Amino acid sequence: MSALRTLLLSNLCTLVSSGLLYAESGIVKSFAGCAGRFSAEMEHAWLLNDPKAQDYELRRGGFISLLEATTTADNAEFVLSHRVNSKHAHARLLQTATFASDEVKASAARRTAKKYLDQCNLLILGGV
């Protein structure tokens, strides 16, 4: 966990020094969305007793750390709203992927959820 936290803080320092962090807070929105998505993945993994839950929890914690470092009084309401909305949308994808009787819908939901997580993982150096 310490290595992941160090890596995340290193990424944040790079973003701050390059000025990208303040480019209309797009990266903050991405952090909020990813924190929400990994929250949904973690809870879904708990529901299914999936051992990946711990990994999702670590990734979620990393994005929460990034959010804490980048959220201001001016954007706090938006950040929380976006995080919660992303979590609910991702949870719906996971529910469809797992429990839908229509395999076409389930497969599409699985692919979409994976695509979103892959985008989140790209925000982290060494992310897979």
Side-chain angles (χ1 to χ4, degrees):
M1 172 127 158
S2 177
L4 179 61
R5 189 170 296 230
T6 301
L7 187 61
L8 290 171
L9 290 176
S10 167
N11 287 349
L12 179 61
C13 290
T14 301
L15 290 171
V16 170
S17 66
S18 69
L20 290 175
L21 182 62
Y22 300 104
E24 195 51 45
S25 299
I27 195 71
V28 177
K29 182 178 179 181
S30 294
F31 292 160
C34 291
R37 291 184 188 291
F38 277 109
S39 291
E41 287 283 349
M42 178 185 71
E43 290 176 7
H44 191 74
W46 285 343
L47 174 72
L48 300 178
N49 202 24
D50 185 338
K52 292 180 189 175
Q54 187 174 12
D55 182 47
Y56 295 139
E57 187 172 9
L58 289 173
R59 294 224 179 236
R60 173 186 163 267
F63 280 107
I64 289 172
S65 294
L66 290 170
L67 270 180
E68 289 171 350
T70 57
T71 300
T72 65
D74 293 337
N75 70 3
E77 187 177 330
F78 168 78
V79 166
L80 180 60
S81 173
H82 187 65
R83 181 177 166 190
V84 169
N85 288 337
S86 295
K87 176 183 174 181
H88 286 259
H90 202 80
R92 283 192 301 272
L93 284 172
L94 295 173
Q95 290 166 2
T96 301
T98 305
F99 302 114
S101 57
D102 181 344
E103 186 50 42
V104 173
K105 285 183 181 179
S107 179
R110 253 189 304 281
R111 282 192 311 274
T112 302
K114 182 183 180 324
K115 180 184 82 170
Y116 284 127
L117 287 188
D118 288 347
Q119 290 171 352
C120 290
N121 284 323
L122 288 174
L123 294 174
I124 302 172
L125 281 176
V128 181

